[in-house]
């Protein structure tokens, strides 16, 4: 073994840190998982941060490829009739959770003061016989905030089932989540079973109607919505209103029609740490239901765009 190639000190679990700035906006993007480790405006957190010397505790602002959310029993069948089995990363519910890209080291393609582009060449592996290359570009703007573009290309053979999502946790700015409000631009709620796997879609009503601003006091959420509505710029929003008068917000353009919103009531050790506002191209178990599933043929690309800011 050539010991000269071994680092003298252990690298940070989150890898190389890419620090971006524009005006009063600051963000740090990690090599591992291409996650947004921290994002703030005027020193006020927009996303719940985590320390560079720990693995991301709750998929913090991770890129969820090649599927977001849960896959039933970690099993799916492709169009050619082949059934594949993936590891159960959420064993208590018997699901494969949030894809494969979170714990790989992504390679830097382009680095600037206000932007960074990272790339992952996701290899074929047991349960995943496809080869995809994903590029994510994070850019800060002093007026508009954070913009994220993700492009995935099938560089292998065979048509790959595909979906993408993101996992930012909006920060309450030090306040209790019960003292905050939520608003979500979506008209339909996804019903689920006791494993949080989808059973159908219904019009929003009661605790799941977030089209107008409402209190988060006592509201326990870990749900998906579809039927995204959009503003005059074509953006759908999830907003966390806080007692300091600021609103931490995530938006998605027409490339994504699904949201997951989670208040972390049942994540041991992280209860109500913030509000996950997750734009997705499809919701849970799309590999099996086919709902909003992308079938990415060899040579084809798929692109999505989302962002965040402090209002």
């Amino acid at each position: 073994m050539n010991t000269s190639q071994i680092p003298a000190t252990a690298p940070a679990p989150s890898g190389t840190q890419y620090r971006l700035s524009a005006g009063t906006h600051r963000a740090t993007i990690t090599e591992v998982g291409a996650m947004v480790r921290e994002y703030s405006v005027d020193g006020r957190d927009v996303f719940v941060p985590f320390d560079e010397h720990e693995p991301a505790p709750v998929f913090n602002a991770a890129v969820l490829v090649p599927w977001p959310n849960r896959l039933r029993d970690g099993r799916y069948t492709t169009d050619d009739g082949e059934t594949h089995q993936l590891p159960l990363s959420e064993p208590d519910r018997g699901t494969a959770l949030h894809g494969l890209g979170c714990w790989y080291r992504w390679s830097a393609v382009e680095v600037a003061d206000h932007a960074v582009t990272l790339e992952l060449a996701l290899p074929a592996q047991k349960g995943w016989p496809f080869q995809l290359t994903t590029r994510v570009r994070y850019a800060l703007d002093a007026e508009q905030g954070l913009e994220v573009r993700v492009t995935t290309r099938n560089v292998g053979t065979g048509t790959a089932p595909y979906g993408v999502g993101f996992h930012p946790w909006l920060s309450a700015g030090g306040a209790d989540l019960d003292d905050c409000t939520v608003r979500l631009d979506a008209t339909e709620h996804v019903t689920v079973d006791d494993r949080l796997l989808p059973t159908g879609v219904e019009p929003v009503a009661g605790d799941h109607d977030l089209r107008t601003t409402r209190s988060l006091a006592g509201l326990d959420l870990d749900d998906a919505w579809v039927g995204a509505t959009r503003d005059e710029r074509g953006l759908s929003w999830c907003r966390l209103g806080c007692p300091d008068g600021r609103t931490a917000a995530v938006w998605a353009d027409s490339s994504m029609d699904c949201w997951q919103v989670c208040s972390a009531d049942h994540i041991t050790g992280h209860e109500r740490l913030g509000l996950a506002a997750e734009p997705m191209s499809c919701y849970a178990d799309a590999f099996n239901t086919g709902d909003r599933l992308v079938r990415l043929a060899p040579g084809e690309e798929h692109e999505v765009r989302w962002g965040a800011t402090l209002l």
Side-chain angles (χ1 to χ4, degrees):
M1 178 184 295
N2 183 356
T3 57
S4 66
Q5 296 179 354
I6 300 175
T9 58
S14 57
T16 302
Q17 311 290 301
Y18 299 95
R19 305 184 194 280
L20 312 180
S21 64
T24 62
H25 294 252
R26 302 285 184 272
T28 302
I29 314 302
T30 65
E31 174 191 13
V32 174
M35 299 179 183
V36 184
R37 188 173 65 76
E38 54 189 0
Y39 171 41
S40 65
V41 180
D42 293 320
R44 199 274 200 193
D45 287 328
V46 182
F47 293 171
V48 175
F50 66 99
D51 192 274
E52 68 180 282
H53 298 292
E54 65 173 334
V58 281
F59 295 96
N60 298 65
V63 183
L64 310 178
V65 289
W67 73 89
N69 216 286
R70 295 171 173 87
L71 178 59
R72 183 184 301 271
D73 302 322
R75 188 179 301 121
Y76 64 99
T77 301
T78 51
D79 291 344
D80 60 8
E82 291 291 322
T83 297
H84 303 280
Q85 179 66 58
L86 289 153
L88 299 182
S89 54
E90 193 183 35
D92 56 331
R93 290 195 174 103
T95 72
L97 182 65
H98 290 333
L100 300 169
C102 294
W103 309 114
Y104 282 93
R105 294 183 183 273
W106 294 54
S107 301
V109 175
E110 186 175 3
V111 180
D113 290 343
H114 73 288
V116 63
T117 301
L118 302 176
E119 179 179 279
L120 173 66
L122 182 65
Q125 54 198 273
K126 187 175 182 180
W128 179 255
F130 308 103
Q131 296 182 80
L132 305 180
T133 296
T134 298
R135 280 193 176 188
V136 54
R137 183 179 188 268
Y138 294 101
L140 285 181
D141 180 87
E143 300 298 327
Q144 300 299 319
L146 178 67
E147 181 187 77
V148 188
R149 292 180 181 267
V150 174
T151 305
T152 295
R153 182 178 180 85
N154 185 344
V155 297
T157 59
T159 298
Y162 177 74
V164 60
F166 308 89
H167 210 299
W169 287 91
L170 294 175
S171 171
D176 236 11
L177 208 57
D178 278 357
D179 296 326
C180 299
T181 62
V182 61
R183 180 177 171 183
L184 177 67
D185 297 338
T187 61
E188 295 176 293
H189 172 249
V190 179
T191 59
V192 295
D193 60 19
D194 59 359
R195 297 166 65 188
L196 299 184
L197 292 165
T199 59
V201 174
E202 62 184 4
V204 293
D207 285 348
H208 299 126
D209 187 352
L210 308 180
R211 291 173 297 175
T212 57
T213 302
R214 60 170 299 166
S215 171
L216 273 163
L219 202 58
D220 180 356
L221 301 173
D222 195 355
D223 297 85
W225 283 260
V226 294
T229 58
R230 305 187 186 279
D231 64 14
E232 65 281 357
R233 294 192 294 155
L235 306 180
S236 180
W237 291 80
C238 182
R239 297 172 174 88
L240 178 66
C242 304
D244 64 359
R246 306 306 299 269
T247 297
V250 172
W251 57 263
D253 74 4
S254 60
S255 60
M256 290 183 283
D257 186 44
C258 307
W259 288 97
Q260 184 85 14
V261 178
C262 179
S263 54
D265 286 68
H266 307 288
I267 303 178
T268 302
H270 302 283
E271 291 87 352
R272 296 182 78 79
L273 82 161
L275 188 73
E278 309 168 42
M280 307 179 294
S281 66
C282 58
Y283 55 87
D285 209 31
F287 279 18
N288 290 308
T289 67
D291 194 358
R292 292 170 170 79
L293 180 67
V294 174
R295 291 175 170 85
L296 205 58
E300 285 188 345
E301 289 186 348
H302 179 266
E303 183 173 284
V304 296
R305 174 175 167 264
W306 69 279
T309 193
L310 188 67
L311 302 173

